[in-house]
Amino acid sequence: MTTVVKAACPLNCWDSCGFNVTIDNGRVVKVEGDPDHPITKGKICGRGRMLETRTNSSQRLLYPLKKINGHFEQITWEQALSEIAEKLSVIREKYGTTAVLHSHDYANNGILKNVDQRFFNCYGGVTELYGSLCWGAGIEAQKWDFGNAWSHEPNDIYNSKNIIIWGRNVARTNMHFYEKLVEAKKLGAKLIVIDPLFNATAKIADQHITIKPGMDGLLAAGVMKEMLRLGLEDTGFIEQSTYGFDDLMGLLEGISLDRISEMTEVPLNVITKLAYVYADKPTSTYIGLGLQRYHNGGNTIRLIDALVAVSGNIGIPGGGANYANLQVGQSFSFDELTLSKRRKNHRRFSIMKQAEGILEAKNPEIKMIIVTCGNPLTQVPDSNIVQKAFSSVETLVVIDQFMTDTAKEADYVLPAATSFEEEDFYYSSMYHHFINYGPKLVDAPGEAKSDLWIWTELAHRLGFGQDFDYSRDEWLKMTLEPLREHGLTLEGLKRQQNLELPVAKIPWQDRRFATTTGKFEFTSILGQQKGDSGLLKLAVPEESKWANPSLAARYPYSLLTIHPMRSNHSQNYHLLTGSVKLKVEVAQNIADQLGLENGDYVRVWNNRGEVKGFVSVLPAAHPNTINIDEGIWKRFGGPVNNLTSSNESDNGLGSTLYDCLVNLEKL
């Protein structure tokens, strides 16, 4: 019997789509878009469609595995859980609970994926990760400026006279916003894309501004300097709603526009034009994640925020410094779900430097690592150090659906259910403000189990099972409790399939900011409280000719590692049809210098490592720029993180994945 059931995409993605899933005789056979979804309206990307392949793949992990004498052997759940629980119990008694590291990321946006935190808090508190490989520097930056990181709701784009897409290829990462850009252009809006790469979004723009990678903050400073010279700033907003403007003025006086143009490699007349565009309100700015993946990443976002503030494009329809929309995730009861108060001990490693943390940890040393929702041996920077660290511990446990690069190193691999095999609801804190219901559609194959089942079983073996004795409905109602006063319930979510959250559709419209001063802060009090000066800076990438000329002489090319088209990070490479290989995209000037043609086999290297792959020439990319998509597995030539640095951003909460110089040679 064939049925079509409404469901939801679990991927940690901007769009958070609604699905129509076709089920035939207990098997998922097709995944399509739900035309009734208020935002995604029936269109989904290839990554979403790949969920059918993930669910049905013959490569799925079906049974618990234990590595014995270097080889995996199938064992029972009883043996796996009992042995892991016993090891956790011994570690707790002998070394303390922080001898366990929970290494996690965000491969799945289901609300109940956060139950792992409840388990570790009830266990007593473990070594946890802080920060984000993906967007942490920018989140922290906007908290310094606004007090929180909130964005305008999707349809507000139609109120914009000008739209700036800054370092964000929405055609690849946010397809429904791309559709809105096309429609906004038809309604008369002007679209400008600022990006080192001439991407699919740039193709529909009225203007593409190419920029030296990592110099976006300096460009924002240059635009502000021009606005002030031309008298285009919003004096009323600055005087009434901001703090620290004199500090910003002093900063801008310390550099010439000619110098900014030289360093950003953006012509003076383009900077002047941008000043007029920002003054021609309402102008909206949509900021990508890549431009904050540098040592100066937090400051870059802060300077762009400052530009939006100086131009008076904050708190108005059609404006905004749109980066993240944390008010979505802040709508749920995470404390109730995770029981953070039960944590007795606490130690934290930066997610970027978790490998160094493992290798250097004392009192206690790391004895066990448990990996959830991630593939750190592929995704965490400086992969050679990560490999060394994860192979150094006594016990590595990986919960996953496939034998990833990380799972191959594990002592125990526990097979996890896919999103279609468990009930949950899904959301994204990046774009729209609707949550989507995902029912259980089919049974998991073999003995694969949901993460919730695994944590519950381990909790019972460790003596705190009563903290997990809830039905699925009770768990979901627990998370939704803060929304009851708004009339939003689990019953309503199941009935309607999605619910609109009660969030500010135009943030800061009342000019009341969540900062210490209640104003937009050019000089951040929160930054000062965290040990920084709080001042904006004219910072540059750590790996650049401006900061490290000797390094730039050895490694003359800037490496970007953007998101792949067909895989959400590393999730799908092993499932793609055809020959999967590492592609090295190079700017035309590099191809000309080295005599490279499409398909040439090359080596890319720096002092951290190397990868080898096949050339694809990008005629319109910024000079001396290379891109290699992130996420590719070792067996296909990766990971590209052999090349990237594990250093942290200026505010300590983001990665420096794009702050990376390399060299290249033809083989």
Side-chain angles (χ1 to χ4, degrees):
M1 179 180 177
T2 300
T3 58
V4 178
V5 183
K6 290 186 183 297
C9 185
L11 298 177
N12 183 19
C13 169
W14 300 86
D15 293 71
S16 192
C17 295
F19 283 167
N20 278 357
V21 180
T22 302
I23 311 295
D24 184 28
N25 293 319
R27 178 182 172 88
V28 174
V29 296
K30 186 185 294 185
V31 179
E32 297 177 303
D34 175 12
D36 298 323
H37 192 278
I39 299 294
T40 61
K41 296 181 179 178
K43 294 186 178 181
I44 61 172
C45 72
R47 294 181 289 266
R49 295 184 193 279
M50 283 289 292
L51 290 166
E52 178 271 324
T53 304
R54 286 188 67 84
T55 300
N56 295 323
S57 173
S58 60
Q59 300 180 53
R60 285 282 299 273
L61 295 169
L62 302 179
Y63 306 98
L65 301 173
K66 179 181 180 180
K67 189 173 285 178
I68 301 173
N69 297 324
H71 301 282
F72 283 114
E73 295 186 13
Q74 179 181 330
I75 60 175
T76 65
W77 272 109
E78 178 59 36
Q79 180 182 348
L81 294 169
S82 295
E83 290 184 4
I84 293 168
E86 176 63 20
K87 290 176 184 293
L88 285 167
S89 182
V90 170
I91 289 171
R92 181 169 56 187
E93 295 303 317
K94 191 173 181 180
Y95 304 103
T97 58
T98 56
V100 176
L101 169 66
H102 177 208
S103 179
H104 64 91
D105 217 309
Y106 299 94
N108 182 304
N109 261 8
I111 191 74
L112 295 186
K113 292 301 176 184
N114 296 283
V115 170
D116 54 6
Q117 297 177 50
R118 185 187 189 93
F119 174 85
F120 290 115
N121 287 333
C122 291
Y123 173 67
V126 297
T127 299
E128 300 172 342
L129 303 179
Y130 70 87
S132 169
L133 298 174
C134 192
W135 64 347
I139 295 291
E140 181 71 0
Q142 292 210 318
K143 288 181 178 179
W144 288 22
D145 297 338
F146 297 95
N148 216 324
W150 293 353
S151 288
H152 291 222
E153 63 94 12
N155 289 330
D156 185 59
I157 192 70
Y158 299 131
N159 293 315
S160 301
K161 184 183 292 187
N162 303 290
I163 305 165
I164 311 293
I165 306 296
W166 205 319
R168 184 168 159 188
N169 183 10
V170 301
R172 178 176 286 202
T173 61
N174 192 184
M175 63 178 291
H176 299 93
F177 183 46
Y178 178 84
E179 292 177 333
K180 291 185 183 298
L181 288 180
V182 173
E183 185 62 28
K185 281 198 65 182
K186 290 179 181 177
L187 296 173
K190 301 299 181 185
L191 174 63
I192 297 174
V193 170
I194 304 172
D195 201 293
L197 302 179
F198 183 71
N199 53 44
T201 308
K203 288 179 181 179
I204 67 166
D206 295 287
Q207 182 177 9
H208 170 229
I209 299 172
T210 177
I211 182 173
K212 182 71 175 174
M215 297 296 184
D216 306 87
L218 275 181
L219 176 58
V223 178
M224 284 187 281
K225 190 174 180 70
E226 269 295 79
M227 292 194 78
L228 294 169
R229 182 182 73 84
L230 296 167
L232 299 174
E233 74 275 19
D234 189 323
T235 305
F237 180 81
I238 292 169
E239 292 179 350
Q240 298 169 23
S241 302
T242 72
Y243 169 82
F245 182 67
D246 287 345
D247 291 333
L248 173 64
M249 289 279 287
L251 178 74
L252 297 177
E253 289 170 0
I255 190 170
S256 71
L257 203 62
D258 285 336
R259 183 67 163 171
I260 290 173
S261 177
E262 177 191 5
M263 295 177 73
T264 61
E265 300 178 7
V266 175
L268 287 170
N269 67 310
V270 173
I271 298 175
T272 302
K273 179 180 177 180
L274 280 172
Y276 282 108
V277 168
Y278 269 95
D280 187 25
K281 297 194 288 281
T283 295
S284 57
T285 304
Y286 290 84
I287 308 168
L289 306 186
L291 48 77
Q292 48 89 60
R293 294 179 183 141
Y294 294 85
H295 179 70
N296 59 325
N299 191 73
T300 291
I301 302 302
R302 293 199 65 211
L303 283 167
I304 295 173
D305 289 347
L307 169 58
V308 179
V310 165
S311 62
N313 279 294
I314 292 175
I316 63 172
N322 301 284
Y323 177 73
N325 205 5
L326 295 191
Q327 56 185 330
V328 176
Q330 291 164 355
S331 300
F332 310 122
S333 182
F334 277 99
D335 282 342
E336 178 104 6
L337 181 65
T338 62
L339 291 181
S340 56
K341 293 181 180 178
R342 291 283 295 277
R343 183 176 57 210
K344 297 176 183 177
N345 304 300
H346 195 211
R347 179 170 64 179
R348 301 200 308 162
F349 294 162
S350 155
I351 192 172
M352 286 68 70
K353 287 190 171 294
Q354 58 186 286
E356 291 89 338
I358 294 164
L359 294 170
E360 297 167 5
K362 305 291 183 185
N363 302 317
E365 297 178 353
I366 297 298
K367 298 295 182 180
M368 177 185 281
I369 303 173
I370 301 181
V371 178
T372 63
C373 285
N375 182 14
L377 265 70
T378 299
Q379 294 297 147
V380 174
D382 205 347
S383 298
N384 292 313
I385 301 297
V386 179
Q387 175 83 34
K388 179 181 178 181
F390 275 67
S391 62
S392 73
V393 298
E394 292 178 4
T395 306
L396 173 61
V397 179
V398 173
I399 301 173
D400 211 307
Q401 297 159 6
F402 294 92
M403 188 61 71
T404 63
D405 287 346
T406 306
K408 286 180 179 179
E409 297 297 319
D411 298 287
Y412 295 89
V413 180
L414 305 182
T418 69
S419 59
F420 296 147
E421 297 157 359
E422 60 178 331
E423 180 186 24
D424 211 335
F425 72 77
Y426 304 92
Y427 66 95
S428 172
S429 289
M430 293 180 270
Y431 180 47
H432 70 75
H433 55 287
F434 286 78
I435 58 173
N436 304 325
Y437 175 63
K440 179 180 177 180
L441 302 179
V442 295
D443 292 329
E447 296 178 9
K449 301 292 185 181
S450 71
D451 292 39
L452 178 57
W453 183 89
I454 296 170
W455 298 124
T456 300
E457 290 294 317
L458 283 172
H460 279 285
R461 286 166 173 79
L462 286 161
F464 48 88
Q466 70 277 6
D467 294 304
F468 285 76
D469 285 341
Y470 297 94
S471 68
R472 202 87 182 187
D473 271 9
E474 287 171 334
W475 285 112
L476 294 172
K477 286 180 179 179
M478 182 190 301
T479 65
L480 291 169
E481 182 58 32
L483 297 170
R484 288 186 64 83
E485 63 181 284
H486 300 281
L488 303 178
T489 65
L490 178 61
E491 293 76 17
L493 176 59
K494 289 185 176 184
R495 184 173 59 252
Q496 297 172 219
Q497 292 299 130
N498 53 73
L499 289 176
E500 183 176 9
L501 295 173
V503 301
K505 295 185 177 181
I506 301 174
W508 322 119
Q509 199 165 13
D510 59 3
R511 303 297 193 273
R512 297 178 182 176
F513 297 90
T515 56
T516 300
T517 62
K519 298 182 177 183
F520 177 92
E521 294 185 355
F522 295 110
T523 299
S524 171
I525 304 300
L526 177 60
Q528 293 172 352
Q529 292 170 349
K530 293 191 172 186
D532 188 270
S533 68
L535 297 169
L536 289 163
K537 305 173 184 69
L538 298 175
V540 298
E542 199 166 55
E543 296 195 8
S544 68
K545 68 179 182 181
W546 304 104
N548 194 334
S550 62
L551 185 74
R554 293 197 306 275
Y555 307 112
Y557 308 124
S558 297
L559 175 68
L560 304 178
T561 53
I562 67 173
H563 289 186
M565 176 68 80
R566 296 188 291 167
S567 180
N568 207 47
H569 303 297
S570 66
Q571 290 181 9
N572 291 341
Y573 278 101
H574 61 303
L575 302 173
L576 298 176
T577 57
S579 176
V580 177
K581 56 187 179 183
L582 188 141
K583 181 168 65 172
V584 181
E585 298 179 304
V586 302
Q588 184 69 57
N589 80 302
I590 300 175
D592 293 342
Q593 289 169 4
L594 302 180
L596 299 175
E597 296 180 358
N598 289 326
D600 283 347
Y601 192 54
V602 295
R603 169 180 174 249
V604 184
W605 82 95
N606 60 19
N607 55 325
R608 288 178 287 269
E610 68 175 27
V611 296
K612 297 174 182 177
F614 298 87
V615 164
S616 176
V617 180
L618 299 177
H622 198 85
N624 296 321
T625 301
I626 295 173
N627 174 66
I628 302 174
D629 287 359
E630 54 94 8
I632 195 165
W633 293 24
K634 185 180 294 186
R635 76 192 209 212
F636 302 121
V640 70
N641 283 321
N642 288 338
L643 301 166
T644 58
S645 165
S646 65
N647 289 338
E648 298 152 343
S649 64
D650 43 13
N651 56 32
L653 290 177
S655 70
T656 59
L657 288 162
Y658 287 17
D659 203 330
C660 183
L661 292 178
V662 297
N663 210 329
L664 181 148
E665 65 179 353
K666 183 177 178 180
L667 297 176

